[in-house]
C-alpha cells in the first residue's frame, strides 16, 4: 500500500506541475486523461470490489482524450473524476484524500469557472493531493 501511495503521490505532483505551468486546455485534458487512465488501470487490478470506480476512471480517461477541445468537457470530467476519486479514497479509509477530491468535485460542479481557473484549480488539487499522499506514504505506521 505504501508503494501505491508513493507512486500516486509522484504522479499527482508530476501532473500537477505540468498542468500548473501549461495553461493550455488541450494539454491539461490530455494530462487528465493519462492520469485517470493510469488510475483506472491500477484500480482495476487492485480488487474486484473497485470495478465500478475503475470503470468510471477509464471512461473519464477515454472521454477526456477523445474530447480535447471543449472546456465544458474538462469541467464535467474533472467533476466526475473528483467524485470517483472521493469514493475510492473513502472506501480505502483515506478521509483527507476523499475530502480533497470531494472539494474539487463540489468546486467544479457549483462554481462558474472559466477554463484557465479550472485548469489552475485542478493543478492545485493535484499538488495538494500529491503532497498529502507523499507524507502518508512515508509516515510511521500506527
Amino acid at each position: 500500500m505504501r508503494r501505491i501511495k508513493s507512486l500516486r503521490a509522484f504522479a499527482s505532483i508530476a501532473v500537477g506541475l505540468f498542468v500548473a505551468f501549461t495553461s493550455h486546455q488541450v494539454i491539461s485534458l490530455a494530462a487528465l486523461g493519462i492520469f485517470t487512465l493510469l488510475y483506472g488501470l491500477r484500480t482495476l487490478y487492485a480488487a474486484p470490489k473497485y470495478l465500478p470506480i475503475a470503470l468510471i476512471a477509464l471512461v473519464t480517461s477515454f472521454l477526456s482524450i477523445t474530447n480535447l477541445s471543449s472546456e465544458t468537457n474538462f469541467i464535467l470530467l474533472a467533476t466526475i473524476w473528483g467524485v470517483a476519486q472521493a469514493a475510492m479514497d473513502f472506501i480505502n479509509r483515506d478521509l483527507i484524500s476523499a475530502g480533497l477530491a470531494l472539494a474539487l468535485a463540489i468546486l467544479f460542479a457549483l462554481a462558474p469557472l472559466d477554463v484557465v481557473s479550472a485548469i489552475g484549480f485542478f493543478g492545485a488539487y493535484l499538488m495538494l493531493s500529491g503532497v498529502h499522499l507523499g507524507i502518508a506514504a512515508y509516515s510511521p505506521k500506527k
Side-chain angles (χ1 to χ4, degrees), residues 74-76 78-80 83 101-113:
F74 177 72
I75 293 171
L76 178 67
T79 304
I80 293 169
V83 170
L102 193 60
L104 176 81
I106 290 171
L107 172 71
F108 274 51
L110 298 180
L113 299 173

Side-chain angles (χ1 to χ4, degrees), residues 8-21 35 81 97 100 104 119-135:
R8 191 172 149 207
F10 175 74
S12 291
I13 290 174
V15 174
L17 280 171
F18 184 74
V19 167
F21 292 110
F35 189 71
W81 182 77
S97 290
L100 286 172
L104 176 81
I119 290 170
F121 280 121
F122 183 68
Y125 160 75
L126 288 174
M127 293 298 294
L128 285 172
S129 177
V131 169
H132 163 68
L133 291 169
I135 291 171

Side-chain angles (χ1 to χ4, degrees), residues 19-102:
V19 167
F21 292 110
T22 305
S23 62
H24 200 271
Q25 79 183 45
V26 172
I27 295 172
S28 298
L29 266 173
L32 174 67
I34 292 168
F35 189 71
T36 54
L37 176 68
L38 294 175
Y39 176 76
L41 291 175
R42 181 193 62 88
T43 307
L44 191 61
Y45 292 112
K49 68 180 180 178
Y50 301 138
L51 182 64
I53 296 169
L55 290 176
I56 289 172
L58 291 174
V59 168
T60 303
S61 172
F62 174 75
L63 290 175
S64 65
I65 291 172
T66 57
N67 297 319
L68 293 175
S69 62
S70 174
E71 69 183 63
T72 24
N73 287 342
F74 177 72
I75 293 171
L76 178 67
L77 294 174
T79 304
I80 293 169
W81 182 77
V83 170
Q85 179 69 45
M88 181 73 174
D89 289 335
F90 187 74
I91 290 171
N92 288 332
R93 297 182 185 188
D94 188 359
L95 298 180
I96 295 174
S97 290
L100 286 172
L102 193 60

